[in-house]
Amino acid sequence: MIFFVISMICSVLVTFFELVSPKFVQYTVDFLLVDAADSSVPSYIDHVINMLGGRDYLRVHLYLMALVVAGCAIATALFRYLFKLFNSIAAEKFTRRMRDTLFEHIIRLPFAWHSENHTGDIIQRCTSDVDTIKNFVSEQMINLFRITVRIAVAMYFMLGISGYLTIFSAVFIPIIVLYSCLFHRRISKGFEKADSEEGRLSATAQENLTGVRVVRAFGREAYEKERFETQNYHYTNLWIDLIRTLSAFWASNDLISGLQVMLVTIIGAVLCVNNSITVGEYIAFVSLNAMLTWPVRALGRIISEMSKAGVSIDRLRYIMNSKEEKDSENAIEPPMNRDIVFDNVSYKYGNGTEDVLSNVSFRIKAGTTFGVLGGTGSGKSTLMYLMDKLYDLPESTGDAAKAEGHGGAGDAETAENSGRITIGDVDIKDIRRSYLRRNIGLVLQEPFLFSGTLSENIAITQSDASFKEVRDAAKIADLDEAIRNFNKGYETYVGERGVTLSGGQKQRTAIAQMLMGKPPIMIFDDSLSAVDTRTDARIRKALSETTVGTTVILISHRITTLMHADTILVLDKGKVAEIGSHDELVANNGIYKRIYDIQKQGI
């Protein structure tokens, strides 16, 4: 804030030295060259004249007045430099704080919010829209202040020369402002639509860059190219239409400003010929009026730019107004190596018509291995998302209306959602989110790896981990041998999202990541689907030897992955179909037995 204040002070000084220079020219013409008796100059100019030796001395040494004018120009340049410097510093600091605030808020938004908003659009809001606001604050807003000061000071000087000519000059200012306001209303929707289309264009590019393997694998280059070009063509046409409108506005604005300068020059000349004003006053007035030409034109443009900035502000307000994940005031951090209980949990996504989970109840004993089997869409992953509070159940059963919503397709809390999940008889709603997630290790089927080395990715949860700890985790995940076969070993660079690794290697890297944190609860959400059966067995054997006392939850479609679990839950269309040990479920001759027989034949 202090830099903005300093820049505005420098701006005022720039305006003063620019506008006082014509008054010295007026004095030189009227008192030193013509000796006009009816011309007047401000008292501070008389003070400067006396300091320089007085009127008679200056008539002999006119170069001193030239030096005064040159000094005003130098002072103007100096303070303009300081203005630009401090204003730029202030703008960059303002932008940094704005981006930091946005990022901090975005990473605290619920998982459901991220599910409904395109990544490309979010990035566009945090870059393009932030820059638009920065330019408005650092340029348009500051220029608005400068223009206001310039117009006020110029009008003061001009009134001292000719009230009639000043009024005639000032008449054009409200005309330009009114015209600009009407124009602002006209184009604001155009800017909003253009920004939205830019977000869609960014999302299209981001999706293609992220899914480059899929695009190449299915030969969709031509299709994706056409899709991007269509979106780009539409976006370009929107801006061309806006530019046509803006060009018409700028041209008409310049026409009005040019007309004002021309009329003031002609009428001023008539007044000078009629001896209503002196030659020096005429020169000073025309100079001051010319100095107002840019501010008056810029005033209209600033008002038109408000429409674009307003759209960007609204787009960022959408992000900032989205509710963050928040813990209750009495959130606690209880022991996590306790029994986990799902008690009549029902859940439906906001964009769905049927329950994903319906009255699901079961208990996972602490320190045991618990398996979850079910078909696609049976609710297996939703169970774990609820347990990790990526989605939230309502505060109380039957009171879903009070649940915190996130809007749109990602609004997970609906009237059908109910039940409770407890760990050691403590409802997870009463557990601090950060603490809960630190103690629940979650490995997804499609893990995300950051750009960096394999060592950095494995140690992402423990940045101070030693190389031995990293390698031990990799060994358990059956990844050490594969890494050592790379030319740079653990220092092998992993591309964005782990694009340089195979699916199985990415899954095993994610497992090693989770093992580094040594959480008391580990969830493997079909995270061994991309590895072969033998590797699957080796990983499970290593896990059973190193995770004694840890609650392990295995979600898989492979019976071989789950058959050694202490308890296996079978889900069918969001409901508990069966639960028991492998032997018990085989003996039941139900869904589990049928799947087991099918998979056994394929072995």
Side-chain angles (χ1 to χ4, degrees):
M1 185 64 183
I2 185 65
F3 290 106
F4 273 126
V5 173
I6 295 174
S7 68
M8 286 190 287
I9 293 173
C10 292
S11 174
V12 171
L13 292 172
V14 168
T15 300
F16 173 77
F17 282 108
E18 275 187 334
L19 295 179
V20 80
S21 183
K23 299 300 291 182
F24 283 109
V25 173
Q26 175 193 338
Y27 178 88
T28 302
V29 173
D30 286 344
F31 290 98
L32 301 183
L33 298 179
V34 180
D35 196 16
D38 55 348
S39 182
S40 61
V41 293
S43 58
Y44 58 84
I45 292 183
D46 277 333
H47 181 67
V48 174
I49 298 304
N50 293 329
M51 288 178 59
L52 293 173
R55 182 185 303 185
D56 294 335
Y57 180 79
L58 290 176
R59 280 177 177 168
V60 180
H61 303 84
L62 281 176
Y63 69 89
L64 292 175
M65 293 305 294
L67 291 176
V68 170
V69 174
C72 289
I74 293 172
T76 299
L78 173 62
F79 285 113
R80 180 174 282 116
Y81 165 76
L82 294 175
F83 161 73
K84 292 287 187 182
L85 175 64
F86 288 113
N87 187 53
S88 298
I89 293 174
E92 294 306 323
K93 287 182 176 290
F94 170 76
T95 305
R96 184 193 66 193
R97 287 195 298 270
M98 188 159 48
R99 285 176 177 155
D100 286 346
T101 302
L102 272 171
F103 186 79
E104 181 181 5
H105 182 72
I106 287 172
I107 61 175
R108 295 178 184 276
L109 290 175
F111 177 75
W113 186 90
H114 288 277
S115 299
E116 71 170 63
N117 289 279
H118 291 292
T119 303
D121 183 60
I122 297 172
I123 293 173
Q124 193 267 341
R125 291 172 190 252
C126 294
T127 52
S128 179
D129 286 322
V130 166
D131 285 338
T132 298
I133 295 172
K134 179 195 77 171
N135 292 334
F136 179 74
V137 172
S138 63
E139 294 181 16
Q140 276 76 44
M141 286 291 290
I142 296 297
N143 283 337
L144 183 62
F145 171 78
R146 292 177 61 196
I147 290 168
T148 302
V149 173
R150 180 183 287 262
I151 291 175
V153 175
M155 286 297 169
Y156 169 75
F157 286 151
M158 292 163 74
L159 280 170
I161 297 173
S162 173
Y164 171 76
L165 203 55
T166 301
I167 293 174
F168 183 82
S169 176
V171 164
F172 286 85
I173 296 176
I175 293 175
I176 293 176
V177 172
L178 179 61
Y179 174 69
S180 300
C181 289
L182 294 175
F183 179 81
H184 159 74
R185 290 185 177 182
R186 180 180 174 184
I187 64 171
S188 58
K189 289 185 178 180
F191 277 123
E192 182 177 3
K193 193 171 183 180
D195 273 359
S196 297
E197 290 301 321
E198 184 181 0
R200 293 190 183 96
L201 185 67
S202 299
T204 302
Q206 183 266 335
E207 287 174 355
N208 275 273
L209 293 174
T210 303
V212 64
R213 278 187 172 181
V214 177
V215 174
R216 297 287 175 84
F218 290 95
R220 289 173 57 89
E221 291 93 341
Y223 171 81
E224 294 298 336
K225 174 177 175 289
E226 182 180 355
R227 189 164 75 98
F228 180 84
E229 288 179 348
T230 300
Q231 185 67 37
N232 193 25
Y233 178 80
H234 184 53
Y235 170 68
T236 302
N237 284 339
L238 283 175
W239 265 108
I240 290 175
D241 291 340
L242 272 173
I243 289 171
R244 286 196 184 108
T245 307
L246 287 169
S247 298
F249 166 73
W250 290 332
S252 57
N253 202 331
D254 290 346
L255 177 63
I256 296 173
S257 299
L259 182 63
Q260 187 257 11
V261 171
M262 181 185 70
L263 292 177
V264 166
T265 302
I266 294 173
I267 294 174
V270 172
L271 293 175
C272 184
V273 170
N274 293 333
N275 294 322
S276 298
I277 58 175
T278 65
V279 175
E281 288 174 336
Y282 172 69
I283 294 173
F285 194 96
V286 171
S287 299
L288 291 169
N289 185 68
M291 291 181 183
L292 281 182
T293 302
W294 170 81
V296 171
R297 291 165 60 188
L299 186 63
R301 296 187 181 188
I302 288 172
I303 294 175
S304 70
E305 286 294 317
M306 286 182 181
S307 58
K308 190 174 181 179
V311 170
S312 295
I313 290 171
D314 286 339
R315 285 166 60 80
L316 294 188
R317 186 184 292 122
Y318 166 76
I319 294 178
M320 296 306 298
N321 285 346
S322 299
K323 295 180 180 179
E324 296 182 358
E325 289 182 327
K326 290 184 178 179
D327 295 314
S328 64
E329 294 181 359
N330 300 319
I332 59 175
E333 299 182 358
M336 297 292 287
N337 54 343
R338 300 290 188 270
D339 289 1
I340 302 168
V341 176
F342 278 68
D343 184 12
N344 289 316
V345 174
S346 295
Y347 190 81
K348 181 170 79 172
Y349 293 105
N351 60 350
T353 57
E354 297 183 356
D355 287 346
V356 178
L357 298 173
S358 179
N359 295 320
V360 173
S361 298
F362 59 88
R363 176 185 291 271
I364 303 174
K365 293 183 178 180
T368 63
T369 300
F370 189 86
V372 181
L373 177 71
T376 302
S378 60
K380 305 187 300 297
S381 296
T382 303
L383 284 175
M384 303 306 111
Y385 290 158
L386 289 171
M387 183 174 162
D388 208 32
K389 294 178 76 171
L390 293 176
Y391 291 126
D392 287 330
L393 290 171
E395 291 300 319
S396 60
T397 303
D399 193 20
K402 295 183 180 180
E404 179 185 345
H406 307 299
D411 187 355
E413 293 79 8
T414 64
E416 291 80 2
N417 298 343
S418 60
R420 62 198 297 261
I421 303 170
T422 61
I423 299 178
D425 294 327
V426 178
D427 197 313
I428 63 170
K429 290 192 291 290
D430 299 325
I431 301 176
R432 198 175 307 280
R433 289 178 190 270
S434 57
Y435 176 79
L436 179 75
R437 291 169 181 169
R438 280 200 309 271
N439 287 276
I440 297 179
L442 178 60
V443 184
L444 302 176
Q445 181 179 0
E446 298 181 3
F448 183 95
L449 301 182
F450 291 91
S451 297
T453 65
L454 276 166
S455 178
E456 290 170 344
N457 269 280
I458 294 174
I460 197 167
T461 59
Q462 300 288 330
S463 57
D464 58 345
S466 65
F467 176 74
K468 181 180 182 304
E469 291 175 308
V470 171
R471 189 172 181 183
D472 287 344
K475 287 179 178 178
I476 298 172
D478 198 39
L479 186 64
D480 180 64
E481 183 178 351
I483 293 177
R484 286 190 287 110
N485 287 329
F486 292 140
N487 290 333
K488 295 185 179 180
Y490 282 84
E491 296 306 309
T492 299
Y493 186 82
V494 177
E496 184 178 3
R497 298 176 66 91
V499 70
T500 57
L501 301 180
S502 68
Q505 288 170 340
K506 284 194 289 186
Q507 286 188 339
R508 284 178 282 167
T509 302
I511 292 172
Q513 283 179 344
M514 188 263 288
L515 292 172
M516 288 293 296
K518 300 177 182 177
I521 300 173
M522 296 183 180
I523 301 174
F524 298 86
D525 187 0
D526 216 2
S527 54
L528 297 174
S529 59
V531 300
D532 57 77
T533 307
R534 291 183 178 179
T535 304
D536 181 357
R538 287 199 301 269
I539 294 174
R540 284 187 287 105
K541 182 175 183 297
L543 284 172
S544 64
E545 294 172 352
T546 57
T547 58
V548 177
T550 300
T551 303
V552 177
I553 302 174
L554 298 173
I555 299 174
S556 180
H557 62 276
R558 287 179 181 170
I559 296 291
T560 53
T561 301
L562 305 177
M563 61 189 302
H564 298 292
D566 299 293
T567 307
I568 302 172
L569 171 72
V570 180
L571 286 175
D572 183 30
K573 296 180 180 179
K575 297 180 179 180
V576 176
E578 298 175 283
I579 189 168
S581 66
H582 170 74
D583 294 336
E584 292 172 343
L585 294 176
V586 170
N588 285 344
N589 201 28
I591 295 175
Y592 185 89
K593 177 64 163 58
R594 291 198 299 271
I595 296 174
Y596 175 68
D597 290 340
I598 293 172
Q599 293 189 6
K600 186 177 180 180
Q601 292 175 6
I603 297 177

